[in-house]
């Protein structure tokens, strides 16, 4: 049995879902993978909570209802750096917010973890799309890995498919519907709503954020496509390299025009080379899809990706829960695959 130290940073929607998942899968991870995943501590803005082991956390009496929200238990006197020093290696799980402008707090956190010899599994996107060179080089130099499935469409397998299932092929192009919010809005607009009605409905259902700019302006799609490309194609694309257009301002006329052409309008991320051997490019924008396109029927909050290869034809993957539980499951998958490659 291999004992793996886990430090969780961020205890919001995804962090909590990951915490619950770790508890419910603790025995299964031992039985199926020979991995004892020991949660040593949780860090958030409010402070740090030290945990002796996941096994102890599993005991029903360890945390009574609401105890995790008792601020007295979150210590301010120690830092994440202290926590990493306390245990000898493991995985830092980053569930902090995605900031696509500064990359923080994920950037400093990932740097710190790698410097101290810890692998990283991250749900946050900022650092990976702003500083891919630095982080890849640092991980390589230290012989560590940064796993980012949770940041790259989470429950939808994207990086794993490109890296493993398609090993040995040449991937020529990747296309993805990678943002549930915009796909939901476009699906509802195809059903007759106008943009504002569809956005309002998405916000009321908790699908869209109160400030939906990152999603509707295409930046979330761009970030996910960059993370997938940089892993699968070993490219070093940054957010500033990408041409991004979102769905803001589209109206019923455009939807009706698409309908009259018997096509389907989707927000699409595309990664391609102008010719073989030239640098990879990513573009995000509205695309008019033929009805037989592999992603044309991805509706609502669903996501999908299609890989066009030289020897296997096209391979499309779709589905996966678009919620914190799905993101938590992607983090767990990444941890397992670090130790059971
Ligand atoms: N929600 C989803 O379905 C989903 C799916 C895939 C990926 N993601 C990504 O997962 C990440 C987390 O999302 P979420 O919805 O769980 O966010 P959230 O609910 O806003 O939680 C963020 C957490 O990060 C903590 N935090 C913020 N700044 C910190 C810092 N400097 N040091 C330590 N902790 C800090 C916060 O601490 P406090 O609790 O003390 O405020 C909070 O616990 C984001 O990057 C998001 O893009 C989310």
């Amino acid at each position: 049995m291999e004992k793996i130290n886990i430090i969780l940073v961020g205890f919001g929607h995804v962090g909590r879902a990951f915490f619950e998942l770790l508890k419910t899968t603790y025995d299964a991870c031992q039985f199926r993978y020979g991995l004892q995943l020991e949660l040593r501590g949780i860090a958030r803005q409010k402070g740090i909570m030290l945990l002796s082991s996941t096994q102890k956390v599993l005991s029903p009496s360890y945390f009574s209802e609401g105890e995790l929200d008792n601020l007295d238990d979150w210590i301010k006197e120690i830092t994440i750096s202290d926590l990493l020093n306390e245990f000898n290696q493991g995985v830092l799980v980053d569930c902090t917010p995605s900031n696509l402008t500064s990359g923080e707090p994920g950037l400093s956190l990932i740097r710190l973890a790698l410097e101290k010899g810890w692998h990283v599994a991250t749900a946050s996107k900022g650092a990976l799309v702003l500083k891919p060179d630095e982080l890849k080089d640092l991980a390589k130099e230290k012989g560590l890995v940064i796993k980012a499935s949770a940041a790259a469409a989470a429950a939808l397998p994207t990086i794993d498919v490109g890296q493993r299932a398609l090993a040995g092929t040449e991937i020529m192009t990747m296309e993805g519907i990678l943002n549930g919010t915009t796909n939901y809005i476009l699906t509802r607009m195809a059903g007759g709503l106008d943009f504002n009605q569809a956005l309002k409905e998405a916000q009321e259902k908790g699908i869209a954020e109160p400030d939906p700019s990152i999603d509707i302006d295409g930046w979330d799609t761009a970030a996910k496509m960059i993370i997938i490309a940089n892993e699968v194609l070993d490219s070093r694309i940054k957010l500033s390299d990408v041409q991004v257009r979102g769905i803001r301002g589209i109206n019923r006329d455009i939807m009706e025009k698409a309908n009259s052409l018997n096509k389907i309008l989707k927000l699409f991320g595309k990664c391609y080379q102008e010719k073989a051997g030239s640098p990879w490019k990513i573009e995000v924008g509205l695309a008019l899809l033929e009805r037989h396109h592999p992603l044309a029927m991805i509706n609502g909050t669903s996501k999908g990706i299609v890989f066009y290869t030289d020897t296997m034809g096209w391979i499309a993957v779709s589905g996966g829960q678009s919620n914190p539980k799905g993101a938590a499951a992607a983090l767990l998958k990444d941890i397992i695959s670090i130790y059971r490659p």
Side-chain angles (χ1 to χ4, degrees), residues 10-14 44-46 95-98 105 123-125 150 323-324:
F11 201 58
H13 300 97
V14 177
R44 63 199 287 201
Q45 285 187 109
K46 294 182 177 72
C95 297
T96 62
S98 291
S124 80
K125 303 171 199 69
N323 59 20

Side-chain angles (χ1 to χ4, degrees), residues 145-167:
V145 292
I146 304 171
K147 288 284 199 176
S149 297
L156 173 78
T158 53
I159 295 171
D160 291 341
V161 174
Q163 281 183 333
R164 293 159 189 235
L166 306 183

Side-chain angles (χ1 to χ4, degrees), residues 24 92 100 137 147 194 246 269 340:
T24 53
L92 179 136
L100 301 184
D137 289 345
K147 288 284 199 176
D194 70 26
R340 296 288 175 266

